[in-house]
Amino acid sequence: QSALTQPRSVSGSSGQSVTISCTGTNSDIGGYNYVSWYQQLPGEAPKLIIFDVNKRPSGVPDRFSGSKSGNTASLTISGLQADDEGDYYCCSFAGSHTHVVIGGGTKVTVL
Amino acid sequence: QVQLQESGPGLVKPSETLSLTCTVSGGSISHYYWSWIRQPPGKALEWMGYVYYSGSTNYNPSLKSRLTISVDVSKNQFSLKLRSVTAADTAVYYCAREGDFYGSGWFQYWGRGTLVNVSS
């Protein structure tokens, strides 16, 4: 059982938007603005797409956006494309002792 | 561009020690936090622990009794040793570098991963 809770799967048609939720506690998501999101395409290593809740690394399209409210973080993918299909993981800083907690992953399917 | 490459045996026998090394190129190992993250087949990512370039460490409590992570600044490498392995330790093992100097828990650079099977 992962420390952060994500839906197992979400789906949407090409061009639509999907949002993935990530629920934690006051000790992780709710306590720090250090939420990150990773895209893992089939057979590949995870790739950072969002850090510090809503910042995008250079080269990541602005179709990917992040937000946070209380103990829940969200990743929205706008203008869904076929090559967005894969698994998405949320991660949060959780203090100096625990360091980080990671979600169970969400599979995104483009219909 | 920073690149990370995992290396080590792809097969380890139960009860033995799993040893992996991550070689960093394109940048110095200094001033950053370096982690090992694993992913059992078909399952989620699990953070295992980190080593700071100074040698200080922090481990996932679920692995702390079996895990040692160390750094060799002169070789720009860091390593993992996981003792007394079982089939449950079969996974793809990734090395990763955090994105800032403060250990904020986001991973900017990742290795390609190496599959380690635990089997007799």
Side-chain angles (χ1 to χ4, degrees):
Chain A
Q1 184 175 352
S2 301
L4 302 179
T5 301
Q6 299 180 234
R8 297 200 70 164
S9 64
V10 298
S11 61
S13 300
S14 181
Q16 287 188 330
S17 295
V18 294
T19 296
I20 302 169
S21 62
C22 173
T23 302
T25 68
N26 290 335
S27 297
D28 38 68
I29 292 177
Y32 308 94
N33 287 321
Y34 295 131
V35 177
S36 53
W37 290 88
Y38 303 85
Q39 176 193 61
Q40 188 175 34
L41 301 179
E44 297 188 7
K47 172 190 171 185
L48 176 71
I49 56 173
I50 295 288
F51 67 100
D52 290 357
V53 176
N54 56 14
K55 297 177 182 174
R56 278 177 288 105
S58 174
V60 173
D62 60 5
R63 301 187 297 105
F64 295 91
S65 62
S67 63
K68 188 188 91 165
S69 178
N71 296 338
T72 299
S74 299
L75 173 72
T76 297
I77 308 173
S78 305
L80 202 58
Q81 299 179 359
D83 56 7
D84 294 333
E85 281 204 339
D87 296 320
Y88 291 78
Y89 291 91
C90 61
C91 176
S92 176
F93 182 71
S96 59
H97 180 66
T98 302
H99 192 52
V100 297
V101 288
I102 302 177
T106 298
K107 183 174 183 60
V108 170
T109 301
V110 181
L111 302 172
Chain B
Q1 176 79 344
V2 175
Q3 293 185 315
L4 292 81
Q5 178 67 58
E6 304 89 351
S7 60
L11 180 64
V12 181
K13 290 182 169 55
S15 80
E16 295 190 345
T17 297
L18 184 162
S19 297
L20 296 174
T21 296
C22 182
T23 300
V24 180
S25 59
S28 173
I29 207 164
S30 296
H31 305 296
Y32 286 99
Y33 292 78
W34 304 88
S35 283
W36 287 97
I37 296 166
R38 69 179 182 178
Q39 185 173 36
K43 295 188 177 181
L45 302 169
E46 177 186 30
W47 177 76
M48 300 180 70
Y50 73 63
V51 62
Y52 189 48
Y53 79 101
S54 63
S56 63
T57 56
N58 190 356
Y59 301 133
N60 186 319
S62 70
L63 298 168
K64 188 172 184 176
S65 64
R66 300 192 292 134
L67 181 60
T68 300
I69 300 176
S70 59
V71 64
D72 187 333
V73 176
S74 67
K75 294 182 178 179
N76 240 31
Q77 294 177 333
F78 63 107
S79 299
L80 167 153
K81 289 188 186 300
L82 184 64
R83 296 174 290 278
S84 304
V85 298
T86 70
D89 295 310
T90 293
V92 175
Y93 286 76
Y94 296 100
C95 56
R97 196 204 83 177
E98 294 202 19
D100 63 21
F101 295 152
Y102 313 108
S104 302
W106 52 276
F107 304 99
Q108 183 177 17
Y109 297 106
W110 295 68
R112 299 181 74 169
T114 187
L115 175 62
V116 179
N117 276 300
V118 178
S119 174
S120 55

